Amino acid sequence: MQFFGGSEINPSPQVPTASGNNAHMMYVFNRNGVCLLYKEWNRPLHTLNPQQDHKLMFGLLFSLKSLTAKMDPVNAEKGNLGVPQLPGQGCSFHSFRTNTYKLSFMETPSGIKIILVTHPKTGDLRESLKYIYGLYVEYVAKNPIYNPGSPVKSELFNTALDQYVRSIS
Amino acid sequence: MAAIYSLYIINKSGGLIFYKDCGTKGRMDTNDSLRVASLWHSMHAISQQLSPVNGCSGIELLQADTFDLHCFQSLPGTKFFVVCEPGTPHMESLLRYIYELYTDFVLKNPFYEIEMPIRCELFDINLTLAVQSDRVALLGR
């Protein structure tokens, strides 16, 4: 993707580390806004404490979905701005990019939201997010002692996730 | 082929000062376009808070299922954003060209009050010329 964002005032974006790990952090939310998982690989700047950060992220995504559903230039029937949308209803976004990071987003029909924050030059991560959802289904949803709606503490899931994210170029 | 659906210009406080709609189904009434513009202004600011590294200047590109949104923020804080078909090329250079038109026909107009809605005929005329498809392709070269 061509890149016109930079000016001399802003510092250049983070260069990928030698291990090939491009990802900064990852969030998984359920449909009620509970943060099921937060993983951080490379985050030099922490603006807010973790609770506020999760709430802000969830709020941003909720509002962006509302915005895209309203701005949709193709569908004639649109609800009013701010009305909560069901997962899959209305036009939803799949990624946004700033000069310092790229955020990729996926929402499943059950309301599970997977967010991956990476280096801005990363390509389309929709397939990767689908694979991560596959890992979630295998190691978390199918785990009989997992309590839905509570934070994920599965070792197997964390290991598999780490391995996979480090391999995304 | 450049397929631009709409163009918005918002002032540094988040108020909509210009809105042009080229699409057919996506038409919004005035109130909705004002709300959408303020919502975008806030989202742009929040995205800077969530950055993992220093020096974030806000969302530049938003990719949705049926459209792309390109945003350009000038140094004084005026935001220009365009809603277009997914994958339309040269939108960044188009936004910079629109910024040039803004400085030439709006800011240099002695009757124009800064931060107020734009009502400059020459700006409208040149903008219409700029969004024609062959012009946008020329800008890319």
Side-chain angles (χ1 to χ4, degrees), chain B residues 46-70:
Chain B
I46 292 174
S47 67
Q48 292 179 29
Q49 290 260 307
L50 290 167
S51 171
V53 293
N54 266 319
C56 185
S57 63
I59 302 179
E60 289 174 355
L61 167 64
L62 174 84
Q63 289 173 302
D65 300 334
T66 52
F67 67 92
D68 279 357
L69 190 153
H70 294 256

Side-chain angles (χ1 to χ4, degrees), chain A residues 4 45 47 72 94-95 97 101, chain B residues 47 49 52 60-61 63 66:
Chain A
F4 299 125
L45 176 69
T47 324
D72 190 359
H94 57 82
S95 77
R97 186 197 82 212
Y101 69 95
Chain B
S47 67
Q49 290 260 307
E60 289 174 355
L61 167 64
Q63 289 173 302
T66 52

Side-chain angles (χ1 to χ4, degrees), chain A residues 1 4-5 14 44-45 47 53 60 63 67 70 72-74 81 91-101, chain B residues 5 25-26 32 35 40 43 47 49-58 60-61 63-67 92 96:
Chain A
M1 179 187 288
F4 299 125
Q14 193 90 8
L45 176 69
T47 324
D53 187 64
L60 176 72
S63 308
L67 182 83
K70 189 67 191 178
D72 190 359
V74 173
L81 203 57
C91 176
S92 177
F93 74 103
H94 57 82
S95 77
F96 73 74
R97 186 197 82 212
T98 72
N99 60 327
T100 51
Y101 69 95
Chain B
Y5 292 117
K25 289 194 206 159
D32 279 337
R35 285 186 204 120
W40 178 256
M43 299 295 104
S47 67
Q49 290 260 307
L50 290 167
S51 171
V53 293
N54 266 319
C56 185
S57 63
E60 289 174 355
L61 167 64
Q63 289 173 302
D65 300 334
T66 52
F67 67 92
E92 287 90 357
R96 279 168 204 270

Side-chain angles (χ1 to χ4, degrees), chain B residues 15-122:
Chain B
L16 183 69
I17 57 176
F18 186 79
Y19 169 55
K20 182 182 168 66
D21 199 332
C22 318
T24 45
K25 289 194 206 159
R27 269 190 208 288
M28 275 194 277
D29 60 15
T30 326
N31 285 332
D32 279 337
S33 58
L34 284 166
R35 285 186 204 120
V36 159
S38 326
L39 189 58
W40 178 256
H41 175 80
S42 319
M43 299 295 104
H44 196 260
I46 292 174
S47 67
Q48 292 179 29
Q49 290 260 307
L50 290 167
S51 171
V53 293
N54 266 319
C56 185
S57 63
I59 302 179
E60 289 174 355
L61 167 64
L62 174 84
Q63 289 173 302
D65 300 334
T66 52
F67 67 92
D68 279 357
L69 190 153
H70 294 256
C71 180
F72 168 69
Q73 182 173 20
S74 65
L75 285 166
T78 315
K79 284 185 262 298
F80 299 77
F81 62 97
V82 67
V83 175
C84 59
E85 259 181 13
T88 316
H90 315 309
M91 284 294 111
E92 287 90 357
S93 35
L94 175 71
L95 283 171
R96 279 168 204 270
Y97 183 68
I98 292 174
Y99 181 51
E100 273 178 43
L101 292 179
Y102 169 77
T103 56
D104 283 337
F105 296 110
V106 178
L107 294 180
K108 291 179 189 172
N109 181 340
F111 299 111
Y112 173 70
E113 261 185 84
I114 196 101
E115 313 282 300
M116 289 287 116
I118 295 173
R119 302 253 180 276
C120 310
E121 220 183 289
L122 279 174

